[in-house]
């Protein structure tokens, strides 16, 4: 029998996560953990159910779901009020908390929910900003608690960043990781540091894009075109660190030095690990080691596989051209 999933909070993220697990065959209960009058709850529950069905209908229209299954999948999701939390949470195997990003509010909600749920369910906060150890003290049996940062839209983006804390039991992280992999997601594990992985990278990139508009480097339209067809195109196939290895860490080192001098800003400086890798001969594919280990890898086959993935992306974007005979 598939694990039962609880969503603590009936907002956009809770609805998105409900779609993901219902799509994968799980029963899902969304708990509206805000105190409301019965009439107000009825309105919210109807709204949540309608949005979930609408999302599933969109997935059907974009060929990710047979139309005839929309109703079946939507019916796997139940929306209940806070008053019913004590009866439904103990039946859940995993509870995802999606309350607003307010520390005190999350602490209070997690404390009460963990008490109502009993010691059984894994509890994961989907917070994008609050460190796991700042929340764990509110949890009864905190060894079963960690952060699980989903990226919107949750029902499409594969990545989920798992951040266990000091008190998180390793087997809890492993169980949640396996569950997420089982529904087709791509979980990664990161330390309890501000910003996880993706928000840290994207905040730098987005601010730099805005700064270039401010400086008159290019129009907003051309900057976004450059990101989609150059930056994003490459990094959808090669990870950032794999890309460094592909070209060589020495190229990044010299390019970074040039930008620091030309633009007069140390924010373009390479971190010490780049110089350390160069000094120790870990430059990338051409030396057999970089951030990744390429020893024993058939580099010709590896390059061809990556180029084939680029070709597939070109075709998907409608940019592949026939040669001129």
């Amino acid at each position: 029998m598939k694990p039962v999933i609880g969503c603590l909070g009936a907002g956009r993220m809770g609805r998105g996560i409900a779609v993901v697990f219902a799509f994968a065959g799980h029963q899902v209960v969304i708990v509206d953990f805000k105190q409301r009058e019965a009439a107000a709850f009825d309105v919210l529950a109807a709204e949540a159910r309608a949005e979930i069905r609408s999302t599933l209908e969109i997935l059907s229209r974009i060929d990710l779901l047979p139309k005839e299954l929309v109703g079946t999948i939507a019916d796997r999701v139940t929306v209940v009020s806070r008053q019913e939390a004590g009866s439904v949470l103990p039946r859940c195997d995993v509870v995802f908390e999606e309350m607003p990003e307010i520390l005190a509010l999350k602490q209070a909600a997690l404390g009460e929910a963990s008490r109502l749920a009993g010691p059984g369910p894994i509890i994961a906060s989907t917070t994008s900003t609050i460190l796991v150890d700042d929340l764990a003290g509110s949890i009864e049996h905190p060894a079963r608690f960690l952060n699980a940062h989903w990226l919107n839209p949750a029902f499409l983006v594969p990545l989920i960043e798992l951040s266990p804390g000091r008190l998180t039991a390793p087997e809890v992280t492993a169980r949640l990781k396996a569950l997420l992999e089982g529904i087709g997601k791509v979980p990664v594990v990161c330390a309890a540091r501000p910003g996880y992985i993706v928000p840290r990278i994207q905040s730098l990139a987005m601010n730099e894009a805005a700064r270039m508009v401010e400086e008159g480097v290019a129009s907003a339209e051309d900057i976004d075109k450059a990101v989609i067809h150059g930056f994003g195109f490459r990094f959808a196939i090669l990870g950032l660190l794999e890309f460094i290895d592909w070209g060589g860490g020495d190229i990044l080192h010299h390019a970074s030095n040039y930008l620091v001098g030309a633009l007069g800003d140390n924010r373009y400086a390479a971190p010490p690990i780049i110089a350390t890798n160069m000094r120790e001969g870990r430059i990338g594919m051409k030396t057999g080691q970089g951030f990744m280990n390429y020893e024993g890898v058939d580099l010709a086959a590896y390059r061809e596989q990556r180029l084939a993935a680029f070709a597939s992306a070109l075709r998907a974007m409608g940019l592949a051209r026939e040669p001129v005979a």
Side-chain angles (χ1 to χ4, degrees):
M1 184 174 177
K2 289 180 178 290
V4 176
I5 306 301
C7 293
L8 195 68
R12 181 62 48 83
M13 181 57 75
R15 298 171 192 183
I17 292 174
V19 167
V20 171
F21 280 100
F23 186 99
H26 294 261
Q27 294 296 317
V28 183
V29 56
I30 296 176
V31 182
D32 174 30
F33 217 58
K34 185 175 181 179
Q35 291 287 6
R36 304 178 196 271
E37 297 293 331
F41 167 75
D42 290 341
V43 170
L44 178 124
E47 178 189 278
R49 287 191 291 266
E51 181 176 329
I52 288 166
R53 188 175 187 93
S54 174
T55 298
L56 292 169
E57 288 170 347
I58 290 171
L59 295 180
S60 173
R61 290 196 295 273
I62 61 178
D63 296 325
L64 289 176
L65 169 66
K67 185 176 181 180
E68 61 270 20
L69 291 182
V70 168
T72 299
I73 294 172
D75 287 344
R76 293 174 183 152
V77 181
T78 305
V79 185
V80 303
S81 68
R82 182 169 184 151
Q83 287 75 19
E84 298 173 81
S87 62
V88 299
L89 289 178
R91 301 204 303 267
C92 296
D93 297 279
V94 180
V95 176
F96 291 97
E97 171 270 313
E98 307 104 4
M99 303 297 287
E101 292 291 297
I102 301 169
L103 176 60
L105 191 154
K106 281 185 178 291
Q107 288 173 328
L110 285 166
E112 183 177 355
S114 66
R115 178 181 59 80
L116 293 173
I122 291 174
I123 299 179
S125 175
T126 63
T127 176
S128 59
T129 56
I130 302 171
L131 295 182
V132 57
D133 291 329
D134 292 335
L135 295 170
S138 303
I139 307 288
E140 291 194 2
H141 309 287
R144 44 81 177 262
F145 177 69
L146 73 168
N147 281 357
H149 178 229
W150 297 62
L151 281 72
N152 273 314
F155 51 85
L156 287 180
V157 180
L159 183 74
I160 300 166
E161 298 175 307
L162 301 181
S163 182
R166 291 184 300 103
L167 301 175
T168 308
E171 61 269 23
V172 166
T173 305
R175 283 172 54 201
L176 185 56
K177 187 171 183 282
L179 174 67
L180 294 168
E181 288 172 339
I183 62 169
K185 291 299 184 181
V186 182
V188 296
V189 179
C190 57
R193 304 282 177 81
Y196 302 99
I197 299 169
V198 171
R200 281 183 65 169
I201 293 170
Q202 72 183 13
S203 66
L204 293 174
M206 291 190 295
N207 281 322
E208 191 66 12
R211 191 175 287 114
M212 285 191 288
V213 173
E214 184 177 67
E215 294 174 357
V217 172
S219 67
E221 292 77 12
D222 277 350
I223 290 170
D224 271 2
K225 191 180 293 183
V227 169
I228 291 167
H229 297 92
F231 186 92
F233 175 80
R234 293 189 299 186
F235 295 132
I237 306 301
L238 297 173
L240 285 166
L241 298 174
E242 184 183 11
F243 185 77
I244 295 172
D245 287 351
W246 182 284
D250 52 335
I251 293 177
L252 175 61
H253 172 80
H254 296 304
S256 298
N257 284 345
Y258 169 77
L259 287 173
V260 168
L263 296 173
D265 197 321
N266 281 329
R267 75 174 181 271
Y268 298 103
I273 192 173
I274 298 296
T276 299
N277 282 354
M278 287 176 60
R279 187 168 58 250
E280 297 177 356
R282 296 194 305 273
I283 294 175
M285 284 193 292
K286 57 190 173 186
T287 61
Q289 284 195 337
F291 283 97
M292 316 296 181
N293 187 347
Y294 302 93
E295 293 178 354
V297 174
D298 183 338
L299 291 179
Y302 164 77
R303 286 192 179 96
E304 185 168 332
Q305 184 270 332
R306 286 292 189 260
L307 291 173
F310 279 126
S312 294
L314 274 178
R315 287 190 288 270
M317 296 171 75
L319 294 174
R321 294 294 189 91
E322 294 295 325
V324 177

